[in-house]
C-alpha cells in the first residue's frame, strides 16, 4: 500500500465519523455526505471493492486540504445558486 493514500473500510469510516461527531447521529446522513464527497472530490476520496466484498475507501493524503475544501465550497455555492 502506498503511503500517499489512507485505506479504510467504508463501515469503519462511517463508524469513526458517527462516533467522533456528536451532532451527527443518523447513519443515512453520513452515507449521503460520503457519497457527495465521492462525487465532488474524486481525486481526494474514492471507493473500491475488496476481494473480501468489503468496500474500501481511499483517501489521498497528498491532496491539499485547502483544495478539497475549495471544491466542496464551490459545489455548495453552485447548488445554492441553482435553487435561487
Amino acid at each position: 500500500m502506498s503511503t500517499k493514500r489512507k485505506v479504510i473500510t467504508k463501515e469503519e469510516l462511517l463508524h469513526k465519523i458517527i462516533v467522533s461527531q456528536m451532532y451527527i447521529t443518523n447513519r443515512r446522513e453520513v452515507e449521503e455526505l460520503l457519497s457527495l464527497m465521492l462525487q465532488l472530490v474524486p481525486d481526494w476520496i474514492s471507493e473500491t471493492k475488496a476481494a473480501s466484498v468489503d468496500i474500501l475507501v481511499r483517501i489521498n493524503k497528498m491532496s491539499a486540504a485547502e483544495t478539497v475544501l475549495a471544491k466542496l465550497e464551490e459545489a455548495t455555492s453552485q447548488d445554492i445558486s441553482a435553487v435561487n
Side-chain angles (χ1 to χ4, degrees), residues 36-49:
L36 186 60
M37 286 190 294
L38 287 163
Q39 293 172 25
L40 297 175
V41 283
D43 52 325
W44 175 64
I45 188 167
S46 61
E47 282 185 343
T48 188
K49 193 165 188 140

Side-chain angles (χ1 to χ4, degrees), residues 36 40 69-82:
L36 186 60
L40 297 175
L69 289 173
K71 288 180 181 180
L72 292 172
E73 287 174 355
E74 179 183 339
T76 302
S77 66
Q78 287 176 356
D79 285 348
I80 291 170
S81 297

